[in-house]
Amino acid sequence: MVDRVSFSCLADIKAAGFDDVIDVRAPAEFADDHLPGAMSLPVFSDAERAEVGTIYVQEDPFKARKVGAALVAKNAARHLETALADRAGGWRPLVYCWRGGQRSGSFASILHQIGWRVSLIEGGYKSYRRLVVQMLYDVPLPDHMVLIDGGTGTGKTALLAELRRMGAQVLDLEALAQHRGSLLGGQSGGQPSQKTFESRLAMELADMDLARPIFVEAESAKIGRLRLPPSLWQAMQRADHIRLEAPLMARAQYLADSYGDVVADMDELQARLSHLVPFHGHDLVARWQAMAQTGDYQALAAELVAQHYDPSYARATRRARDPLAVIELAGIDQADLSAAAQQVLATEFSKLVEG
């Protein structure tokens, strides 16, 4: 008999130690969201799922189950001959579908008959999604977040990477959202769905010790088109912050270097700059577009920081408390970031001692 397993929290999924997690839902369902790290081995294609559903509703449930069983067998055979061809006898997979019903049960039975130690998620993806919602919507997160704040181009994301290298707990929201947070911050491939973003976020938090400080970049309530879920946003609103400051031209050079993927596509860069017309008018935006066209990226970045980003930051940043520290960077190279990270950790340690 195939084992059915239930999880009381997200951390239990990783702690269970399965060799692979297999999502047997249709590709469109997988694309909308899935357990992080799961492999997609659909037992129905999107078209096949629609076909079986139509037969079930419009013709006969028995016929739908018969057609569905044939499709599961056909697709399972393909997966066994390809994606699963190299799995050894002791392989231990975890399988799920939407509700933990016929699709995952049928596929798991085939794997079980082969001799693999397969388990099913009780309640399927829906039970997993409830745990994500519980963490990010229903239960307050502990007050152990520390925001890394500062204007655009002050190296906040790079500082988080340095803090992580030094062993600190870091939540990189921009990496999870696949967006750098600013108007020009979109990345190739676009952003994930809201549910996928939340899955990534919840599983990152599940890996952390929530009693220890978690360093996170200060963000608005949205990163690109994705919303920060309420438990996280409320914890960030309550959090202490450390502000970074750096000279304008150092910031401009950092941005020019960091946005190489953006400037590599001139048409896309021109289109993104055009979105600034409602804020700055046609003449100024045309000037910025001309600077981009001639490759004067550092000067362009300097003007964008001084005339667009910093004023926007000043309007948006209204914090009730003073920063724990203000770190002034002479530049934004590796040595500067390493020194800043050490200062951040020392500041947080001092706060813990005083508290």
Side-chain angles (χ1 to χ4, degrees), residues 23-34 40-50 96-98 103:
D23 187 322
V24 302
R25 298 174 302 157
E29 296 173 286
F30 183 85
D32 185 51
D33 186 31
H34 54 270
S40 177
L41 297 181
V43 296
F44 295 159
S45 68
D46 293 327
E48 290 166 345
R49 176 174 173 246
Y96 70 92
C97 62
W98 180 252
R103 286 186 288 176

Side-chain angles (χ1 to χ4, degrees), residues 78-96:
R78 176 168 50 85
H79 297 323
L80 289 169
E81 292 170 349
T82 55
L84 304 182
D86 63 347
R87 298 306 192 272
W91 182 53
R92 184 169 170 256
L94 176 67
V95 177
Y96 70 92

